[in-house]
Amino acid sequence: MTAPQEENFMRKIQAEEKIEPKDWMPEAYRKNLIRQISQHAHSEVIGMQPEGNWITRAPSLRRKVVLLSKVQDEAGHGLYLYSACETLGISRSEMIEQLQSGVAKYSSIFNYPTLTWADVGAIGWLVDGAAIVNQVSLQRTSYGPYSRGMIRICKEESFHQRQGYEAILELAKGSPGQKEMAQDALNRFYWPALMMFGPHDSESAHSQKSMEWKIKRETNDDLRQKFVDQTVKQIEVLGLEHPDKAIKWNEERGHYDSSDLNWDEFWSVINGNGHCNRQRIEHHVAAHEEGEWVRDAITAYNDKKRAKKAQNAA
Amino acid sequence: MTNITEKLELFEVFVRSKRGLDHKHIGSLHAEDHEQALEYARDCYTRRTEGVSIWVVKSDDICASQEDDAECFYDPSDDKPYRHATYYVLPDPVNNM
Ligand SMILES: [Fe+2]
Ligand SMILES: [Fe+2]
Ligand SMILES: [Fe+2]
C-alpha cells in the first residue's frame, strides 16, 4: 500500500504538474534528481576547460570576445544548476567534493582534447548542439527549479551553437588546409557528441525510473536520433564529408539510419580512461585551491563590514 | 491619531499562479509578522484561486538596484551584440539552429 503523500506526488506527476522544493517527494526521486542536476552542473563547469584552452589563441579579436562570452555563459549555467540542485538539500561544497573525488560524473565529451582551432568551432556546433537537443527536452522535466533553469539556459545556448557553426563554416570555405582542419575536427567530435546522449535505453541504469517520474521526457536513443537527423543537412551545407559512411535516409522510419557507436570507448572514458580525465579534475582542484585567497579576502572584507555596522549601531 | 498601518510592517507578496511557473510580484500589504502577512495575502490577493503558492518578504529586506544605476549595471552589455543568436548570419538551409 502506498502512502497518501506518495499517491499525491504521483498524481501531480501524471497531471504534468511540477514538483516544487517544499513539496513532499520520494527519497529516490530526490536522489535521482541530485545525481542528474549536479552531473549537469559539473559538465557546464568542466566544459569550460577544453574551450578555455583556446581563448588566448583565438585567431582574431572578434573570435576571442565571442569565445570569452560563451565560456562565461557556461560558468553561469553551472551556477544556475548548482543553485537548482541546492534546493534539494545538498550543499555546494558536497557537490564539489563529489566531483573532485570522482563520485559524481560529468559529460564524457569534455575528456576529449581540443587540438586545433577548428575543434572550438566543432564544440560549439556539435557539443552545444547536442546539449541543446537534450536541454530543450528537459524544459519539460517534472522538477520546477530544474525546468526553469533549463528554459533560461536554452535561451542562452542558441548563440553558442551558431558561433561554432559560423567558425567551422569559415574554415570549410577556406583554404584546403583549413577545410582539412574542419573535416578532422568533425571526424573526431561527431562520435563523442552522439555519446553525450548516454548508453542505449536498454543499458541505461537510471532511464526507466527517470522516465516514470518525468525527470527525463525522452529516451537517450530518441534524443540521439533527433541530433543525427538534424546534423546531416548541416554537414552538407559545410561541404564536408559525413563521418558516418552508413548514414542513410530510411523512408519507412522517417529517420536516418546510422552506425552503432563504439561503446567500449564510451565506457572507458566514463570510467576515467579518456585522454583528459585526470587533467580536467587536477585542473579543477588546482583552480579551486589557487582561488583560496579570493575566498579569504571576501570573508575578511565581510567581517570588516559587519564590525563597522555594529560599531555604527552602537 | 496614528494610522495602524504605521505600526505594521510592509510586506511584498509574490504568487505562483501555477506549478512550474515563477513566483511573480503581485503587490504589497501591511502585517504584524510573516504568518499574518501570509494570511492577509491569501485573503487579499488569491480570492479567485490565483495561485498555488505565496511568498511574503519584508519590503525592508529587498535590496533593489536604482534607475540611476542603470548605466553601470547594463551599459557594458550594449557593446556585446555577439551574445545574441541573431548576430550570426548562417546559410538559409541551416538557419533554424
Ligand atoms: Fe551551457
Ligand atoms: Fe549545457
Ligand atoms: Fe553552451
Side-chain angles (χ1 to χ4, degrees):
Chain A
M1 206 185 87
T2 45
Q5 47 195 13
E6 176 141 19
E7 245 166 59
N8 190 26
F9 168 85
M10 276 320 289
R11 185 197 51 74
K12 285 181 205 156
I13 297 274
Q14 270 146 20
E16 290 291 321
E17 287 180 12
K18 302 293 182 207
I19 305 301
E20 296 293 347
K22 306 220 165 192
D23 294 345
W24 183 91
M25 60 186 87
E27 219 21 58
Y29 176 82
R30 184 188 300 275
K31 276 216 179 102
N32 200 320
L33 268 175
I34 288 179
R35 187 190 49 79
Q36 177 166 335
I37 302 176
S38 68
Q39 182 173 318
H40 198 159
H42 298 325
S43 301
E44 304 285 350
V45 169
I46 296 293
M48 289 191 282
Q49 289 187 41
E51 290 181 291
N53 180 35
W54 280 91
I55 289 176
T56 56
R57 294 176 289 161
S60 69
L61 187 57
R62 177 179 181 276
R63 294 288 174 203
K64 192 191 291 246
V65 293
V66 167
L67 184 56
L68 207 51
S69 266
K70 180 195 186 285
V71 172
Q72 189 186 21
D73 270 358
E74 305 301 2
H77 296 173
L79 187 69
Y80 306 158
L81 286 161
Y82 281 130
S83 306
C85 205
E86 281 162 343
T87 64
L88 292 159
I90 186 170
S91 72
R92 186 82 52 101
S93 51
E94 279 174 278
M95 286 188 268
I96 303 293
E97 165 60 28
Q98 290 177 352
L99 168 68
Q100 295 189 341
S101 65
V103 171
K105 306 277 184 220
Y106 55 88
S107 180
S108 58
I109 188 78
F110 302 117
N111 291 316
Y112 291 82
T114 39
L115 305 176
T116 72
W117 167 251
D119 290 6
V120 173
I123 287 181
W125 165 35
L126 297 170
V127 175
D128 286 74
I132 290 169
V133 169
N134 188 36
Q135 292 173 163
V136 163
S137 175
L138 285 173
Q139 291 182 115
R140 291 166 50 239
T141 190
S142 60
Y143 188 54
Y146 193 25
S147 160
R148 290 188 289 276
M150 284 299 109
I151 290 167
R152 184 169 173 89
I153 286 178
C154 282
K155 276 190 198 138
E156 299 182 350
E157 283 289 354
S158 156
F159 119 66
H160 297 182
Q161 192 186 20
R162 291 174 72 88
Q163 64 81 33
Y165 192 83
E166 189 201 60
I168 280 277
L169 183 64
E170 205 160 300
L171 292 172
K173 303 285 174 212
S175 70
Q178 287 174 320
K179 186 168 178 180
E180 205 178 298
M181 207 197 267
Q183 181 72 57
D184 170 59
L186 168 59
N187 293 348
R188 279 182 293 111
F189 275 93
Y190 181 74
W191 305 103
L194 293 185
M195 292 178 194
M196 286 171 68
F197 296 98
H200 281 312
D201 302 329
S202 50
E203 313 273 317
S204 177
H206 307 283
S207 254
Q208 207 206 334
K209 210 63 196 164
S210 288
M211 293 289 290
E212 216 176 288
W213 280 331
K214 299 190 181 171
I215 293 175
K216 276 164 77 167
R217 303 310 310 260
E218 286 164 280
T219 68
N220 295 353
D221 287 328
D222 285 350
L223 292 167
R224 185 166 20 241
Q225 181 74 61
K226 254 186 209 173
F227 180 74
V228 165
D229 290 348
Q230 78 180 27
T231 307
V232 171
K233 186 84 203 167
Q234 295 165 358
I235 295 175
E236 199 184 294
V237 169
L238 291 172
L240 297 178
E241 254 178 63
H242 201 296
D244 186 354
K245 299 300 166 235
I247 197 92
K248 194 168 176 277
W249 179 250
N250 183 326
E251 191 66 56
E252 213 172 299
R253 290 202 309 127
H255 290 291
Y256 281 94
D257 290 337
S258 54
S259 305
D260 199 14
L261 301 173
N262 182 348
W263 293 109
D264 291 340
E265 175 182 321
F266 173 80
W267 291 113
S268 148
V269 178
I270 288 263
N271 290 324
N273 302 315
H275 282 282
C276 303
N277 296 55
R278 284 221 305 273
Q279 186 190 332
R280 298 293 185 237
I281 293 301
E282 274 166 20
H283 183 82
H284 191 276
V285 171
H288 197 70
E289 283 170 1
E290 282 162 20
E292 185 68 36
W293 71 270
V294 179
R295 293 187 290 277
D296 288 347
I298 292 171
T299 311
Y301 177 74
N302 288 347
D303 288 347
K304 222 163 105 184
K305 230 171 124 180
R306 208 174 303 121
K308 212 176 192 174
K309 250 190 201 161
Q311 206 180 28
N312 287 346
Chain B
M1 195 180 87
T2 47
N3 191 311
I4 179 157
T5 53
E6 283 165 26
K7 291 191 224 143
L8 298 173
E9 287 223 55
L10 188 62
F11 287 82
E12 301 299 324
V13 182
F14 299 81
V15 173
R16 187 201 298 288
S17 58
K18 216 183 117 210
R19 288 175 162 280
L21 298 183
D22 301 308
H23 282 80
K24 265 220 171 80
H25 184 246
I26 189 164
S28 35
L29 50 74
H30 286 89
E32 171 64 24
D33 55 21
H34 285 100
E35 288 69 37
Q36 198 178 59
L38 207 51
E39 280 169 21
Y40 287 174
R42 177 199 61 197
D43 296 344
C44 184
Y45 290 113
T46 61
R47 287 189 308 278
R48 290 166 191 81
T49 51
E50 284 91 339
V52 294
S53 158
I54 305 174
W55 284 350
V56 291
V57 180
K58 280 187 190 166
S59 308
D60 275 351
D61 285 342
I62 289 179
C63 176
S65 70
Q66 299 302 311
E67 197 113 356
D68 295 345
D69 299 336
E71 230 171 272
C72 62
F73 267 81
Y74 310 113
D75 269 10
S77 306
D78 288 349
D79 60 353
K80 297 180 179 63
Y82 47 83
R83 282 182 176 161
H84 296 272
T86 45
Y87 177 77
Y88 303 90
V89 183
L90 301 183
D92 273 344
V94 295
N95 198 29
N96 60 351
M97 82 170 62

